[in-house]
Structure formats: structure tokens, C-alpha cells
Amino acid sequence: MLIKSIFTNSTGILTSRILGFIRDLLTASILGANIYSDIFFVAFKLPNLFRRIFAEGAFTQAFIPAYARSKHKIRFSSVVFLQLFGFLIILSLLVSMFSHLVAKAIAVGFDQETIDLAAPLFAINFYYLPMIFVVTFMAALLQYKNHFATTAYSTALLNLTMIGGLLIAQDMEKYEITFYLSYGVLAGGLLQILVHLYAIKRLNLLKIFHFKKHAKKEENKFYKNFMSATVGSSTTHISAFLDTWLASFLMSGSISYLYYGNRVFQLPLALFAIATSIALFPMIARSIKNKDENKALNLMRKSSLILFGLLSIATLIGIVFDEFIISLLFERGAFTAQDTANTALILTMYLIGLIPFGVAKIFSLWLYAKEQQFLAAKISMKSLAWNIVFSLALIEPYGAAGLAFASTLSGFILFYLTIKEFGFRKFKELLIK
């Protein structure tokens, strides 16, 4: 079951990432690495950051253990869905109304003219967030039933709609192209909702609007864990977001170099670490709930050893062939050989941290399954604090490459602190068992 689930997630993610690289290839060729690509990536970064936190961490890690323990599953899921969806709709409206202020806060290094260009894109892209929450909520219900295929493959729809937007707009002005890309994001979100609704209906899970008078203990505990999990699962993504913010002070194109480098780095992380954690977490959560820790530990041992081997191979290949990979994917049209060299260096800096980020993700599941989200959040905050220190120390002498390496250093700290809380002795016994 575990291997089958990991394979399903990995192949789905691979399909999506291949389409994602085609999307990035077209983006690099049509837009290049300049102010127009920068403003789109910054505008898309904020909802995409929340998407990754939701879909790959916080919501699922808090919801599945709470849902498993709930005595009134339909009522519990109904209340959580409507409350969070309502909040995100209001937040999206506020971002739309005050898009200039949001753009200025996110990209502090942009001048006023660039802020004026970016603000409408922020307003459009942010509506992807409530859409992806709906997808994530339904995905969590499907994962609890050990159905992974729909979620694994549905992200490909986002890439297809963005590719469609690029192809339609390729002969237009570059600023117009960013709008077609942004509306492509929303179209992708809508298609993801539709395919999840179909899967939910097939499994007879379409019972989310059901209310009775009840005590709020379950929801209160969920929100407490959810807030902690939001911090605990977001270190990698907040680090990338921090890179973007600081890179807005560097030369034009720096944000794009970081984006393209991080995109390649995210492929093995998603293909192996995230695919494994998605498949593993419901199994660990159920084992912990049933007080069968030995089964949970055996699952973690098997998964972590496989993951370590895969990530080691990916790291070696990525570092040795960094320029070849970037050139193959992006060097055409407006993306020059110098852009390739700059992005390849950043990719190498990210890849050094692939193993610690990936393995830490597996062992953090132990804390989440035991509903120790606050402890996981403390670990993540310490790692993030060190990332800020490293970034400020390295940005001046090394530029964008220094920002990428700062993120990697924080990954090693995240790994150390996670294993410390899991237990060094238990970790050692797990490896030599």
C-alpha cells in the first residue's frame, strides 16, 4: 500500500512538473528574465506560497489527525470548511481592494512605476488562494480514504491553463502576457475544483454542509494545531519568499534566477519527499491513533531509507549537471547564456540542502501525527530565524546565490532540530535496525 501510494503521488507530481517545466520554458522564452517576469513571479508567489503550505503541509497535517479522532466527522468537516473558505474570500477581496499596498509590502525594492505595474496582477492572482483551499480540503478527505490519484494529477491542470495563456498571448506586449498568465492561474484553480468534486462524489463524501448544535472543542483544537502547523510546514516556502523579497533590492533578473533555480530544486523535493510524506502521513496518523507506534516507526524507517537514497542521487546529478539542466530547460529566446550561468549557480546552492529538507519532512510527520504541531512550529521558527541571519550576512558579498545558500543552511538546522525532538537514540536505532 505504501509503495503503491508513493508511486501514485510521484507519477502524478512528475506529470505536473514536466508540464510545469514546459510552462517555465515558454515563460523564459516569451518573457525572458526582466521586469515583466519579475512582477508576475512576485504576484504569483504570494498565493503560490499559501498553496504549498496548504496542499503540502499545514492543513492536511492538522486536519487528518483531528478528522480521524472526530466523533462527528461530517459536522466537523462542514464547520471547518465554511469558516476557512469564508475567511479566505474576505482576505482575497481585501487584497484586491488594496493591491498597491500589498505589492509595495511584498516587493519593497520595486520603485513606484513597477509597483503600479504589479498591483493589478496581485489582485488577480490572489483569488487562486480560496480556490486551492477548496481543492486541499477535498484532497484531505480523499487522502483519508487512501485515494491519492486525483490530487496527484490535478496540479497538471494549472500548468496546462497557464501554458494555454502563454500560447494565446505570445505575440502580444509583455505586460499583456502577464495578465493572460494570471487568468490562466484562475482557470487552473477552477478545473482542479471540478475534478476533485467528481472524485468526492464518486466516493460518496459529498456531505460537507451538515450542522447540529454542538460543543466547539474539536474545531478549537483543530485551529490551534492548524496555526502551529502553518508555521511548522512552511519553512522551505517562507525561505523562498524571503529570497524574493530581498532579491528585489538586487539587479534586475535576480528574482527570476531564484525562481527558476528553486523550480528545479523543488522537482526532486516534490517527486520524492513530498510524494512520500503525502502517502505516509495518513498511515502514521492511523497507527498513532490505534496506539501502534512500532508500525508507525517501521513505516518511517522504510520511507526514510528509500528517500535518502533517491535524494542523494538527485543531489549529485543536479550539482554535476547544473548548467546543462538549466540550459536544456530555459536557454532559448530571451533567456541568455549569462542567465543560464547565474541560475545554475543558484540551483547548486539550493541542492546542497535537498537531503536535510527532504528527510526532515518525513520525521516531522511523527510530531504532527502526535498532534505536537506547536513543537514543530518552534523548530521551524528557529530554522527561519537562522535563515534570516544567513540571508542578511550573505546577500551583500554573494548576491542571489548567497540567498539560496542561506536557505540551504537553514535546512540543515531544521533537520538537526527535528531529529533532536524525534530522539537521537530512536533515530539511530531506526537506521541500524
Side-chain angles (χ1 to χ4, degrees):
M1 175 66 76
L2 176 62
I3 299 298
K4 180 182 177 182
S5 299
I6 293 173
F7 180 76
T8 298
N9 286 315
S10 293
T11 52
I13 289 171
L14 180 60
T15 301
S16 174
R17 292 307 169 104
I18 289 172
L19 289 170
F21 283 125
I22 293 172
R23 181 196 82 195
D24 288 342
L25 182 154
L26 288 171
T27 304
S29 178
I30 294 169
L31 278 181
N34 50 50
I35 192 62
Y36 297 104
S37 60
D38 282 358
I39 62 173
F40 172 74
F41 290 143
V42 170
F44 186 47
K45 195 94 176 179
L46 190 58
N48 202 37
L49 169 67
F50 285 116
R51 177 190 70 82
R52 287 176 172 173
I53 293 172
F54 274 128
E56 297 162 7
F59 182 80
T60 302
Q61 290 162 355
F63 182 79
I64 287 181
Y67 186 77
R69 288 176 169 81
S70 176
K71 296 178 180 178
H72 307 283
K73 288 182 169 55
I74 296 176
R75 178 202 52 75
F76 169 70
S77 58
S78 301
V79 172
V80 167
F81 174 80
L82 290 177
Q83 288 177 343
L84 284 177
F85 183 69
F87 169 75
L88 291 174
I89 287 292
I90 293 171
L91 181 62
S92 299
L93 290 171
L94 289 173
V95 169
S96 182
M97 290 169 60
F98 301 103
S99 57
H100 277 79
L101 291 177
V102 174
K104 196 167 187 177
I106 300 303
V108 179
F110 284 173
D111 57 29
Q112 189 57 48
E113 183 180 354
T114 307
I115 293 293
D116 291 339
L117 292 174
L121 302 182
F122 273 87
I124 296 168
N125 279 274
F126 204 84
Y127 283 102
Y128 182 62
L129 181 54
M131 289 182 172
I132 207 60
F133 167 71
V134 175
V135 171
T136 302
F137 174 81
M138 292 188 284
L141 294 177
L142 293 173
Q143 287 174 30
Y144 185 75
K145 294 292 185 180
N146 289 322
H147 177 89
F148 300 96
T150 298
T151 304
Y153 287 96
S154 70
T155 310
L157 296 170
L158 172 67
N159 292 318
L160 285 171
T161 54
M162 293 179 73
I163 288 170
L166 280 167
L167 292 176
I168 292 169
Q170 61 182 315
D171 295 324
M172 299 180 184
E173 294 292 329
K174 292 190 185 300
Y175 188 47
E176 285 186 79
I177 294 171
T178 63
F179 280 89
Y180 276 81
L181 271 172
S182 299
Y183 286 118
V185 170
L186 300 189
L190 180 59
L191 289 178
Q192 286 176 278
I193 290 174
L194 293 175
V195 296
H196 276 82
L197 275 173
Y198 177 74
I200 286 283
K201 186 177 180 181
R202 281 191 61 195
L203 293 176
N204 197 30
L205 293 171
L206 200 59
K207 297 177 182 177
I208 60 172
F209 303 115
H210 180 81
F211 298 96
K212 289 181 180 178
K213 190 174 182 180
H214 63 281
K216 295 184 177 180
K217 285 182 66 175
E218 287 182 347
E219 289 93 76
N220 291 340
K221 185 175 182 181
F222 162 76
Y223 282 119
K224 180 180 178 181
N225 288 335
F226 175 57
M227 294 304 295
S228 297
T230 298
V231 177
S233 68
S234 61
T235 301
T236 305
H237 310 304
I238 293 176
S239 296
F241 194 77
L242 177 67
D243 290 349
T244 299
W245 182 75
L246 290 173
S248 67
F249 294 96
L250 300 175
M251 66 178 182
S252 178
S254 293
I255 292 175
S256 299
Y257 299 145
L258 285 164
Y259 172 82
Y260 291 126
N262 190 260
R263 282 285 291 167
V264 179
F265 165 76
Q266 289 292 330
L267 175 61
L269 188 68
L271 195 59
F272 303 130
I274 293 170
T276 300
S277 66
I278 290 172
L280 186 62
F281 185 59
M283 300 177 191
I284 292 178
R286 279 195 294 268
S287 298
I288 296 294
K289 175 200 170 188
N290 296 329
K291 304 187 187 309
D292 190 356
E293 288 196 0
N294 286 331
K295 182 179 179 181
L297 288 169
N298 285 332
L299 286 167
M300 290 184 65
R301 177 180 180 274
K302 185 177 181 180
S303 301
S304 59
L305 290 176
I306 293 172
L307 182 62
F308 180 80
L310 292 171
L311 292 180
S312 298
I313 295 169
T315 299
L316 182 62
I317 291 173
I319 291 175
V320 172
F321 298 103
D322 55 354
E323 287 206 27
F324 173 77
I325 292 169
I326 298 300
S327 175
L328 180 67
L329 291 172
F330 305 121
E331 192 179 317
R332 54 188 55 79
F335 199 92
T336 67
Q338 185 59 51
D339 294 330
T340 293
N342 293 339
T343 306
L345 176 60
I346 286 168
L347 172 60
T348 295
M349 296 299 101
Y350 277 132
L351 283 171
I352 295 170
L354 180 61
I355 293 173
F357 269 123
V359 177
K361 192 164 190 66
I362 295 300
F363 283 90
S364 68
L365 299 180
W366 181 264
L367 302 179
Y368 290 122
K370 285 181 167 288
E371 296 191 279
Q372 294 179 315
Q373 280 83 355
F374 182 70
L375 178 58
K378 286 176 63 178
I379 292 171
S380 185
M381 287 300 292
K382 289 178 182 178
S383 171
L384 186 60
W386 277 107
N387 184 35
I388 294 171
V389 172
F390 293 139
S391 293
L392 293 175
L394 297 175
I395 186 173
E396 186 172 347
Y398 302 110
L403 295 177
F405 191 61
S407 177
T408 286
L409 292 175
S410 73
F412 281 95
I413 290 175
L414 178 69
F415 172 77
Y416 172 80
L417 294 175
T418 301
I419 299 303
K420 180 182 177 182
E421 293 302 332
F422 176 77
F424 288 122
R425 179 179 294 181
K426 192 188 300 181
F427 178 70
K428 183 179 178 182
E429 290 173 352
L430 208 64
L431 293 182
I432 64 176
K433 186 175 179 180

